[in-house]
């Protein structure tokens, strides 16, 4: 190939365009002359002008040969024109490359000299060197910045650590630490509060650069105010919106001004709260580097404060111990004298006790007799003082209410009452105090010790003026059985009224088949009025055959096995000349008296209309099921199967178990030239809503990876995030659709043995040489209404160089969230990691069967709560 450089340097000489065309035209003229000469020789004609002219007359096609020089000249002209254009293109290309190389060389020189602020724009997509130099500059700049920040933090820690080593008194330590720390981090004010566990408060230890106004509040209860909140939550608080009632800074130049930013950091040592450190600044924000320094210093300061407080407490205890030793020596002699006096007093007490024991025995016998009488009484006798405090209750309370007198004296008398009962009892006391000559009675409920509710009737008598009693006497008796009997009588009367007005057919039969009761509805189904069938036998009344047979069979069945039964009957009806059928659900209920079967109650409910509605619902449900099954066939047809994935990864598996017919979780697979894309996607919801969202995710992913541009896994998640929001209109002001999806997304480049992973709430597990490595997904979902309070960060792109034998696993949340097991707990990510790690020797097929069997055993008879999907691949 002839390059433009060789042509320009004269290594190969080419004729100019005019000369080449002339040469081509002359060469072309040789064709007609040569042809004429061959024809003359072939016909043995004389070579002369006359013969040549005659030959043109006899062979006019020779004139066509004269076009050859013109055609040949045109062809040469065309190719020379193309040659000139190629030379021009090559020259421009060389000039462009030379310009890029010179620019990149200058950029590299400036970076090498430490000028990180220089900027350069890469020349198009093919300027790989320019892009690489930009990446190198950013890395060098980041390393320089990180090293500077680490040096700044180290210097600050060394400064404060030196102060902590010098001072051993808390007040001095706090003053000097705050003074140097506030100046070092360019703050304006600082304070240290120590936590006093006995009072549960934080008390000011030291302050720096505070005005007198600050001393109005120098202690905070735990959990109150920002200081108390920081201590209670044991986490730092950073605020740029300062409350209106917060302190102000007094300055001759600034006047009274409120801080612009605030940082509160708890002082914690060995998980014990020591206090809170407060830093304020006039700057709008406190840098993250400053926050990091203060948080690291908080641990060192907390440890030092803890040690100093222990030392101070030890010194205090030592002084108190010495003082107590001296007092004990002084009291020892006094105790010896008191012991002699007590010995003489003890002898006198023994004589007195012997006399008292005889009198006590006599009183005990009398009390036993009275206790037996009160314990077996049918009433509870209790005495209350004028403050409504119980001072006595008879032993019979144990038999009637289940509580001992001691338990009642401790508050059970009011505690086991309802609110209404307490109110009524207090009203009774108030009434008897105001009207001491009356004997009012109330009824209320009380909860026995065994949980049974009983009804009590209490009569009160005012004996406050009686010096022997000095209280209010309550006589209470259990009226539960009395009220139950009254209630049963009312219920029987009410049941009779309800039956008469019920739309159900209600019949009571004796065991011999005699009608004891029938409500008016029976006339609608048998044309018999109730008064005409009472006290008559089934055989004596004209009934529909199906109803008569049912009564006879049911009587026989319940006699042998007295349990409730239900049966559906289709009863023919004739109204005038119109014939119809009614469907009735009849319950046969055995009724007992003193544990013996006495009668049978039949309750028939007309369910004709309900059956019609049920049939309509069945038809509608069948249509819905057909639609869902068809949707399942569509979803199954577009989703990848394990055979499709095993064409590229022969050692792989998919365990896919939708909760319903169609699923909101789906596997996604897209091979593209030398790149393979793979994902496990979990859409919001399951069933039909989840499946609709899965179609959005499926086609958005296909469109994203099918473009010409090569995106990373993280960039594809970002684009998918934007696409879901755009499709569901979640960026609009009135958006209320918070639907989205979680995803574990993989981009695999087999030629480079490179794996890129990005996750939305989903992790990736890599099993390598028996060690399980977890790559966590970002803590945000794909889609959803954007937050107005903080800017979103892009999805993280993890790059992994995989090795032969590496195994990867990724899954949706339906697997770890499933409830089951002996304690009905979640399957949990920890169980998944244990299965992978402990069975590191498993093949992918063995993993598939193990996960499938273990999940089914864990779920047991419980209901599956979500779609389940887990994918495993061995490289």
């Amino acid at each position: 190939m002839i390059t433009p450089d060789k042509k320009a340097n004269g290594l190969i000489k080419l004729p100019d365009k005019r000369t080449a065309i002339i040469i081509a035209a002359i060469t072309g003229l040789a064709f007609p002359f040569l042809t004429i000469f061959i024809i003359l020789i072939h016909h043995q004609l004389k070579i002369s002008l006359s013969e040549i002219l005659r030959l043109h007359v006899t062979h006019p096609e020779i004139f066509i040969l004269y076009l050859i020089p013109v055609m040949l000249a045109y062809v040469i002209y065309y190719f020379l024109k193309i040659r000139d254009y190629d030379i021009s293109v090559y020259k421009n290309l060389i000039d462009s490359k030379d310009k890029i190389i010179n620019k990149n060389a200058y950029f590299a020189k400036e970076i090498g000299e430490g000028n990180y602020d220089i900027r350069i724009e890469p020349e198009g997509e093919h300027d790989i060197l320019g892009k690489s130099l930009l990446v190198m500059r950013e890395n060098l700049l980041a390393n320089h910045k990180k090293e500077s920040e680490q040096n700044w933090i180290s210097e600050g820690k060394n400064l404060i650590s030196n102060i902590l080593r010098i001072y051993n008194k808390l007040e001095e330590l706090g003053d000097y630490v705050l003074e140097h720390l506030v100046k070092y981090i360019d703050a304006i004010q600082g304070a240290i509060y120590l936590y006093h566990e006995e009072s549960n408060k934080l008390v000011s230890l030291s302050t720096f650069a505070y005005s007198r106004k600050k001393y109005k509040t120098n202690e905070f209860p735990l959990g109150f105010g920002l200081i108390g909140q920081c201590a209670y939550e044991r986490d730092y608080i950073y605020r740029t919106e300062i409350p209106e009632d917060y302190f102000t800074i007094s300055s001759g130049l600034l006047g009274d001004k409120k801080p612009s930013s605030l940082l509160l950091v708890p002082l914690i040592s060995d998980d014990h709260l020591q206090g809170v450190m407060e830093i304020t600044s006039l700057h709008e924000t406190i840098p993250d580097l400053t926050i990091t320094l203060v948080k690291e210093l908080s641990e060192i300061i907390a440890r030092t404060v803890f040690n100093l407080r222990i030392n101070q407490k030890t010194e205090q205890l030592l002084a108190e111990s010495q003082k107590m030793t001296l007092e004990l020596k002084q009291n020892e002699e006094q105790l010896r004298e008191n012991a002699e006096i007590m010995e003489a007093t003890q002898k006198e007490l023994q004589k007195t006790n012997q006399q008292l024991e005889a009198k006590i025995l006599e009183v005990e016998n009398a009390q036993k007799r009275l206790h037996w009488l009160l314990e077996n009484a049918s009433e509870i006798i209790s005495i209350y003082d004028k403050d409504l405090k119980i001072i006595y209750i008879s032993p019979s309370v144990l038999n009637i209410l289940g509580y001992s007198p001691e338990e009642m004296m401790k508050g059970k008398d009011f505690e086991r009452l309802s609110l209404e009962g307490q109110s009524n009892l207090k009203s009774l006391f108030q009434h008897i105090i105001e009207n001491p000559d009356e004997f009012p009675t109330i009824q209320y409920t009380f909860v026995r010790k065994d949980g049974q509710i009983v009804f009590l009737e209490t009569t009160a008598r005012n004996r406050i003026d009686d010096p022997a009693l000095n209280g209010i006497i309550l006589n209470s008796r259990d009226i539960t059985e009395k009220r139950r009997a009254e209630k049963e009588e009312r219920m029987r009367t009410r049941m009779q009224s309800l039956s008469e007005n019920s739309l159900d057919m209600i019949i009571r039969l004796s065991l011999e088949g005699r009608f004891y009761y029938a409500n008016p509805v029976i006339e609608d189904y048998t044309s018999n009025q109730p008064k005409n069938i009472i006290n008559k036998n089934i055989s004596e009344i004209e009934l529909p055959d199906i109803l008569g047979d049912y009564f006879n069979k049911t009587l026989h069945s319940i006699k042998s096995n007295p349990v409730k039964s239900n049966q559906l009957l289709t009863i023919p009806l004739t109204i005038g000349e119109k014939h119809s059928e009614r469907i009735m659900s009849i319950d046969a209920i055995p009724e007992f008296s003193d544990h013996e079967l006495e009668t049978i109650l039949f309750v028939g409910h007309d369910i004709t209309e309900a059956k019609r509605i049920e049939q309509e619902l069945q038809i509608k449900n069948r249509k819905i099921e057909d639609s869902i099954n068809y949707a399942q066939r569509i979803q199954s047809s577009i989703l990848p199967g394990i055979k499709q994935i095993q064409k590229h990864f022969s050692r792989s598996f998919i365990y896919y178990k939708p909760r319903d017919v169609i699923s909101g979780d789906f596997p996604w697979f897209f091979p593209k030239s030398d790149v393979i894309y793979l994902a496990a996607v979990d859409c919001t919801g399951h069933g039909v809503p989840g499946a609709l969202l899965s179609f959005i995710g499926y086609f958005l992913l296909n469109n994203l990876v099918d473009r010409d541009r090569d995106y990373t896994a993280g960039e594809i998640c970002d684009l998918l995030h934007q696409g879901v929001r755009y499709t569901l209109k979640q960026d609009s002001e009135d958006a209320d659709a918070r639907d989205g999806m979680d995803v574990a997304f993989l981009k695999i480049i087999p030629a480079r043995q490179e794996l890129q992973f990005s996750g939305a709430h989903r992790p990736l597990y890599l099993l390598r040489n028996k060690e399980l490595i977890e790559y966590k997904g970002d803590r945000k979902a794909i889609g959803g209404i954007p937050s107005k309070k903080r800017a979103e960060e892009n999805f993280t792109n993890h790059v992994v160089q995989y090795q032969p034998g590496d195994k990867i696993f990724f899954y949706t949340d339906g697997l770890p969230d499933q409830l089951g097991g002996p304690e009905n707990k979640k399957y949990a990510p920890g169980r998944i990691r244990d299965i992978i790690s402990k069975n590191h020797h498993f093949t992918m097929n063995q993993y598939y069967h193990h996960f499938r069997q273990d999940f089914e055993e864990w779920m047991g008879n419980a209901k599956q709560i979500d779609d389940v999907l887990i994918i495993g691949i061995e490289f």
Side-chain angles (χ1 to χ4, degrees), residues 200 202 220-233:
N200 205 28
L202 292 138
F220 298 89
L222 188 67
F224 289 85
L226 291 177
I227 302 295
Q229 180 183 353
C230 176
Y232 180 77
E233 296 179 353

Side-chain angles (χ1 to χ4, degrees), residues 409-615:
M409 298 283 284
K410 292 179 181 179
K412 294 296 183 182
D413 55 330
F414 271 89
E415 180 182 325
R416 304 298 281 178
L417 293 177
S418 65
L419 294 176
E420 182 181 1
Q422 294 179 12
S423 177
N424 292 340
L425 196 57
K426 290 178 181 178
S427 299
L428 175 69
F429 282 125
Q430 184 67 29
H431 181 81
I432 196 66
I433 290 173
E434 296 174 354
N435 304 277
D437 297 330
E438 296 183 6
F439 306 102
T441 300
I442 63 169
Q443 294 181 358
Y444 55 93
T445 58
F446 191 93
V447 181
R448 286 173 47 91
K449 190 171 184 178
D450 58 6
Q452 181 182 356
I453 298 177
V454 297
F455 289 90
L456 298 180
E457 184 178 75
T458 297
T459 302
R461 293 176 175 81
N462 190 334
R463 294 293 182 266
I464 294 178
D465 297 332
D466 188 340
L469 296 175
N470 194 24
I472 298 173
I473 301 176
L474 300 184
N475 293 81
S476 304
R477 61 191 182 95
D478 186 354
I479 59 170
T480 304
E481 287 300 318
K482 176 184 175 182
R483 287 178 62 93
R484 185 185 63 79
E486 293 174 351
K487 182 178 180 181
E488 286 181 354
E489 182 62 28
R490 290 196 303 271
M491 289 297 295
R492 275 194 292 267
T493 303
R494 187 180 303 170
M495 184 65 186
Q496 181 74 18
S497 175
L498 291 174
S499 299
E500 295 294 328
N501 295 281
S502 175
L503 297 177
D504 294 336
M505 182 178 70
I506 301 175
I507 299 171
R508 180 174 281 111
L509 294 179
S510 69
L511 300 182
E512 293 76 25
R514 187 175 299 279
F515 284 86
Y516 280 173
Y517 173 79
N519 69 342
V521 178
I522 194 172
E523 184 176 359
D524 297 336
Y525 296 93
T526 65
S527 300
N528 294 305
Q529 295 183 356
K531 64 181 180 180
N532 297 330
I533 64 174
I534 299 301
N535 293 325
K536 292 185 179 180
N537 199 282
I538 297 174
S539 59
E540 299 173 350
I541 301 171
E542 185 177 351
L543 297 172
D545 293 340
I546 189 171
L547 196 59
D549 292 342
Y550 167 71
F551 285 148
N552 289 321
K553 291 179 181 178
T554 304
L555 283 171
H556 178 73
S557 173
I558 290 184
K559 285 180 185 178
S560 58
N561 184 21
V563 295
K564 178 182 177 181
S565 65
N566 175 272
Q567 188 166 343
L568 296 181
L569 296 181
T570 302
I571 302 175
L573 295 181
T574 302
I575 302 176
E577 297 181 355
K578 186 177 180 181
H579 300 279
S580 64
E581 291 182 343
R582 306 296 292 178
I583 302 174
M584 180 170 285
S585 172
I586 302 179
D587 289 316
I589 306 170
E591 296 181 315
F592 298 87
S593 177
D594 295 330
H595 304 290
E596 291 187 4
L597 182 63
E598 185 177 45
T599 57
I600 301 174
L601 181 67
F602 292 89
V603 180
H605 181 65
D606 193 332
I607 62 170
T608 306
E609 185 64 20
K611 279 292 183 181
R612 183 187 64 79
I613 295 173
E614 181 182 352
Q615 291 176 354

Side-chain angles (χ1 to χ4, degrees), residues 1-21 23 76 79-87:
M1 179 179 179
I2 301 173
T3 65
D5 290 340
K6 292 182 179 181
K7 296 177 180 179
N9 294 332
L11 297 178
I12 298 177
K13 298 294 185 178
L14 294 176
D16 58 15
K17 188 183 299 183
R18 180 180 298 176
T19 305
I21 293 173
I23 294 172
I76 294 301
F79 281 107
L80 289 176
K81 186 176 181 180
I82 293 176
R83 183 199 67 179
D84 293 343
Y85 175 76
D86 290 341
I87 292 173

